[in-house]
Amino acid sequence: MTDDLLELRRENTLSSLAADRLEKLIVAGQLPPGQRINEVVLAREFGISRGPVREGLRHLASRGLVEFVANKGAYVRAIDAQAMLEIYDLRSVLTGHACKLAAERRTPDEAKEFERRVKEMDACVKGRDVAQYYKLNIDFHDLLVAVAGGGRLAAFSDTLSKEAALFRRVSLGNPQEMAASNAEHAAIVAAIRRADGARARELGEAHVLAGKRRFEKSLPPG
């Protein structure tokens, strides 16, 4: 019985590790939307059996990152533009709420950290580093949620953020768009530093909706 429990615990640990590595590959775009996931190849790369890989895929399917097609296997889920627009609307509400709570709960050190993040992104704007700006932008929003606190807020925000990453169209593809986005970040941070929760909420919602408009501009006609 003890050996069985140890093996079960080992399999659960391996499946969690597999899910984590697969998620990173998907979010980074190394496994693009619509691509079939080869369990045999991944198991070999991860140095584990196919079982934990399959369980990891099931976990990601429950989070909307992977879908199973009958008689074909697992695929990275593809998000269409209309679904992405809906995700923006939902994220605007959650981001506004996170900004309000962050303004009310932040410590002085956390307020300084927000300002440091904005300066980092400013450097990316000046250096025209789109890839690094995109990463720091995600980190900034993660920090908002972390400072706001609350397990449900974090879970919902994480799910929407991961789904948004499935649509790899870049709506922050030039310095003007990055500059506009980071100016919005700076305004949010100023409200957080003043502990103005109502204004932070308003700016947070407006920021995500501005991102939605930038995304819509990036779509091809029709």
Side-chain angles (χ1 to χ4, degrees), residues 8-220:
L8 179 61
R9 185 175 300 170
R10 177 178 176 276
E11 289 295 313
N12 287 336
T13 300
L14 289 175
S15 64
S16 296
L17 291 172
D20 183 59
R21 290 190 64 179
L22 284 163
E23 180 180 299
K24 288 177 180 176
L25 290 173
I26 291 170
V27 171
Q30 292 174 264
L31 287 174
Q35 179 170 315
R36 185 177 182 279
I37 300 172
N38 191 317
E39 295 176 17
V40 175
V41 172
L42 288 175
R44 189 182 305 124
E45 288 181 2
F46 296 170
I48 57 179
S49 65
R50 287 181 64 184
V53 173
R54 171 57 67 96
E55 287 303 312
L57 288 171
R58 288 198 180 103
H59 175 69
L60 295 184
S62 72
R63 299 187 60 191
L65 294 179
V66 169
E67 57 186 354
F68 285 91
V69 179
N71 302 318
K72 291 186 177 181
Y75 289 77
V76 179
R77 185 179 167 213
I79 295 281
D80 63 24
Q82 191 57 47
M84 187 66 179
L85 293 173
E86 183 180 1
I87 288 170
Y88 270 110
D89 289 336
L90 294 171
R91 287 186 65 215
S92 71
V93 177
L94 289 178
T95 300
H97 184 58
C99 289
K100 175 181 181 296
L101 293 179
E104 294 170 350
R105 297 175 177 177
R106 58 82 180 154
T107 65
D109 285 344
E110 287 167 340
K112 291 178 182 177
E113 178 61 16
F114 279 119
E115 292 175 338
R116 188 187 70 77
R117 300 288 182 97
V118 169
K119 289 178 181 177
E120 272 191 318
M121 285 184 280
D122 265 337
C124 291
V125 174
K126 292 173 183 175
R128 297 174 177 260
D129 191 341
V130 175
Q132 182 65 4
Y133 184 89
Y134 182 78
K135 178 184 180 300
L136 293 176
N137 180 58
I138 292 174
D139 292 344
F140 177 83
H141 284 267
D142 286 346
L143 180 62
L144 277 174
V145 173
V147 173
R152 289 181 180 273
L153 173 62
F156 291 146
S157 296
D158 183 65
T159 296
L160 290 175
S161 177
K162 295 298 190 303
E163 284 193 313
L166 290 170
F167 202 116
R168 300 301 298 177
R169 186 181 305 280
V170 179
S171 57
L172 296 170
N174 63 60
Q176 291 77 23
E177 289 166 341
M178 289 191 294
S181 170
N182 207 37
E184 294 155 14
H185 291 152
I188 291 169
V189 170
I192 289 174
R193 176 167 278 285
R194 297 194 307 271
D196 188 343
R199 182 59 175 159
R201 179 200 289 273
E202 180 183 340
L203 290 168
E205 290 183 2
H207 169 57
V208 177
L209 293 177
K212 178 184 177 182
R213 290 192 294 274
R214 286 188 283 269
F215 171 75
E216 287 178 301
K217 283 173 59 180
S218 75
L219 295 172

